[in-house]
Each structure stands twice: as C-alpha cells, then as structure tokens.
C-alpha cells in the first residue's frame, strides 16, 4: 500500500514576451489552490524575467534545459510532459505558437509540448501586427483545431506603444481556463471515494494466469478526476498497462479474491465505490503449485466462479453509499446494462462496448437510476471520467 499527494500539476511554459512577468501572478493564484506549478522558461523569457521569481513562487526549480547535466538519469522533456495534468503556455509568443503548430521541437518547452498528452491552455501576447499576421492567424487556427484552448489576446494599449489586440488576457481568465482544463473543482472536497481499476490475474500455475485486455486507463482516469475535485481517493488496482496516478492511497492487488478483500476492508470508510476494474469472472479451480508440463494430449482447465465484488458491495454497503459499476457488453448495451443495474442495486452504470478495451477513447452510455440514459459519444477517457463524476457529485449530494 502506498500513499502519495494528489495535487494536480500544471506545467507552465513561459516564453519571451514582455508580458512574461504577468505569469508570476498566475503562479501565485494556482499555488493558493494547492495546484503544483513547474515553470519551463525559454531562453528569451529568461532575458525578460529571472527564473528565481518563478522558483520562489512555485517552490519548484525552473526547467530550462533539454539536456540538464544535473539530471542525467531522467529524460527531462518526457518527465515534464508526464507530470502535467495540464500544460499552460503563458504568455505565448508568435514563435512558440508557430513552432507548436508546425511540430518543431528544438528546445525544452517546444519538446515538452510535443510529448505532452495533457490538455493545453495557450495565452498569446504580442504586438498587434504580429497577432494579425497571416502566419500567426493560421497557426492559432491549427492549434485550436487540435483542441488547444486559446485565451485572448485582449485589446488595449500594448507595450510597444500601439493600441489593438495583442495584450495578454486577464490572468483570472487564464486561471479559469486552466482550472477547467484540469477538471479542478471542490465539489467532492473531502469526500472519500473508493475506485477500483485495472484487471485481475487468476493464476493457472506459478507462470501462467487467466486475465483480460483491460488497460487500467478508465479506472485511473476516474481516480485522477476524483482527486482533482478534492475527493479523498483510495485506488484499489490490479495489474494495468499504464502507471497508476498519484492519488491519496493506492492498494495493489492481483486476483479477484484479493480485490474483494481490499474492497471489503475499505468500503465502510467511503461514500462512493466506482468499480471500474475488469474482474475475471472465473479463476482456475485449483492453481497448480508447479509449472504444468506439456503432456502431449489435450487437457481441460476446471474453472470456479469468482466473487461478484459489486454484488457483495451492494449487500454489505452502509445505507447511502453510492455504487457505480461498468458494463462491457457486445450486444443490447442499454438493456443489459439496465438489467445489471437492477440486479446489483447500482446507482449508475457506465455501459460500453468492447472497443473501449485498451483504447484511450470510450463511447459510453450512462445508465442512471430513475433517469434517462445519457449517451456520451466518443470521447477521451479523461473526459468520460469527468462526466461520470458529474453524476457521482449529484448522487453523493442526495440525502442518505
Ligand atoms: C523586449 C522584447 C519583448 C518581446 N515581446 C514579445 C511579445 O510580447 N510577443 C512575441 O511574440 N514576441 C515578443 N518578442 C520577440 C520574442 O522574444 C522572439 O520572437 C523570441 O524568439 C521568442 O522566443 P521564445 O518563443 O522561444 O520565447 C519580444 C522581444 C523583445 C526583445
């Protein structure tokens, strides 16, 4: 069992605009919300503002080098890209906008941008003629089409003495866009939420097991999204293809029986259980103590049914504990998921097809007790996690 901080992290790219000093105010605002900030400054940005100001306000060293001599053990741009729950470029020069649109990665920040999968918020600031140039306008369109959130620029008096569009947008607007990109809110502040994720592995013998293709991505997205809304998350996870997110407490298990034991132990202390783990329905009845040798003839594996963790939870939960299940169905998605909801006494079922397995996207339908099914359409697991948690927030708010 491990405990780790669940603070969201913003990687803040600061580029060589005269408005670079305004990013300091943004750092202070984010830090007041207990959001971690790691600033990445370009060479031009450092000509305009000293890194020491960003370091003292963020409490983190400023990253500047693609090849930092002091950290040979890690690849700096990948570590930064992976750390980001959101990437913010404030202020963004015409240059960084152009490099990002064209896929140029020739310094630390532009390489982090290429490597990051987190949502990006970009706040341009430049002279009005630079902003109106055909190149910048085209590049901004390209980035917006890729899903970047562009904030501003605003109109007004510019540093170069002219009037027009090009000022950095007000810092509070940029902050609001970053909070939205993070999925940050306090609507689950202090609420204990138990999330299961990953798959289970059921041993056949010491070297073989039965399992499934679940990657852990959906459950991890839910755990992270709940933590970003202030929930006290306990993550019970089986094996997965991707690293577990940093949330309150992480409990690692392997088999369905171990997962049941962990859920049994933690459920009484939680207000909601989100059961996203793909638990094997069956396990080999008698796992062999030694490796099963090839015998030259066909053989059969006797299977025993695994415990139904959701069913167990619905029988043993405290009154008012919210139960969310997943239904992976290849046919009659809504009908089968509704049946599952009733049979197991669930409050919400996330119904999806087999294409969700191992993918970054999901095309789910939320089956809500007493409500209409909500068709979410194809979206990232991060976005689906937010939609699921919007429902969990409503369920948690109901009187017990
Ligand atoms: C004093 C000064 C202010 C500048 N302000 C801006 C600006 O607001 N916006 C911009 O796009 N470029 C501005 N530039 C030009 C950029 O610094 C230049 O294009 C640089 O190559 C940007 O590098 P970077 O994007 O890696 O930070 C400014 C240059 C100077 C000398």
């Amino acid at each position: 069992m491990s405990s780790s901080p669940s603070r969201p992290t913003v990687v803040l790219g600061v580029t060589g605009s005269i408005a670079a000093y305004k990013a300091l105010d943004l750092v202070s605002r984010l830090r007041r919300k207990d959001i971690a900030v790691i600033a990445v400054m370009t060479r031009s940005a450092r000509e305009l503002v000293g890194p020491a100001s960003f370091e003292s306000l963020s409490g983190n060293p400023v990253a500047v080098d693609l090849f930092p001599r002091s950290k040979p053990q890690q690849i700096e741009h990948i570590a930064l890209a992976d750390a980001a729950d959101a990437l913010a470029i404030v202020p963004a020069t015409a240059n960084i906008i152009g490099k990002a649109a064209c896929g140029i990665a020739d310094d630390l920040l532009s390489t982090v941008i290429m490597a990051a999968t987190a949502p990006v918020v970009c706040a341009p600031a430049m002279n009005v003629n630079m902003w109106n140039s055909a190149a910048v306008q085209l590049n901004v369109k390209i980035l917006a089409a890729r899903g970047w959130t562009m904030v501003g620029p605003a109109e007004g008096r510019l540093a170069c003495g002219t009037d027009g569009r090009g000022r950095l947008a007000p810092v509070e607007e940029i902050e609001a866009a970053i909070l939205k990109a993070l999925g940050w809110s306090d609507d689950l502040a202090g609420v204990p939420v138990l999330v299961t994720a990953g798959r289970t592995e059921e041993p056949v013998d010491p070297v073989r097991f039965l399992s499934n293709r679940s990657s852990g991505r959906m459950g991890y997205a839910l755990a992270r999204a709940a933590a970003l809304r202030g929930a006290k998350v306990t993550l019970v996870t089986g094996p997965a293809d991707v690293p577990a997110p940093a949330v309150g407490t992480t409990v690692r298990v392997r088999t369905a029986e171990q997962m049941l034991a962990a859920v049994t132990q933690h459920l009484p202390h939680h207000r909601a259980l989100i059961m996203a783990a793909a638990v094997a329905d069956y396990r080999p009845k008698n796992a062999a103590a030694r490796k099963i040798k090839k015998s030259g003839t066909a053989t059969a594996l006797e299977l025993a049914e695994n415990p139904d963790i959701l069913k167990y939870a619905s029988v043993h939960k405290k009154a008012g504990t919210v139960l969310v299940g997943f239904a992976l169905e290849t046919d009659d998605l809504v009908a089968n998921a509704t049946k599952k909801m009733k049979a197991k006494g669930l409050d919400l079922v996330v119904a999806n097809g087999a294409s969700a397995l191992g993918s970054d996207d999901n095309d789910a339908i939320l089956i809500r007790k007493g409500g209409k099914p909500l068709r979410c359409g194809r979206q990232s697991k991060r976005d689906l996690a937010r939609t699921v948690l919007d429902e969990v927030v409503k369920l948690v708010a109901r009187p017990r």
Side-chain angles (χ1 to χ4, degrees), residues 37-93:
V37 179
I38 305 172
V40 180
M41 295 182 79
T42 63
R43 182 190 292 272
S44 311
R46 281 177 282 136
E47 292 287 334
L48 294 158
V49 190
S53 310
F54 282 94
E55 281 178 349
S56 47
L57 287 177
S58 70
N60 277 317
V62 168
V64 293
D65 284 329
L66 193 50
F67 302 96
R69 298 280 174 263
S70 58
K71 296 187 225 162
Q73 74 286 5
Q74 76 172 27
I75 302 176
E76 183 78 335
H77 62 281
I78 303 296
L80 287 163
D82 288 348
D85 290 301
L87 181 59
I89 307 166
V90 185
T93 54

Side-chain angles (χ1 to χ4, degrees), residues 15-18 42 44-45 48 93-96 99 107 125-126 130:
T15 65
S17 154
I18 198 86
T42 63
S44 311
L48 294 158
T93 54
N95 179 55
I96 197 72
K99 290 206 291 189
D107 64 1
M126 64 197 71
M130 288 173 84

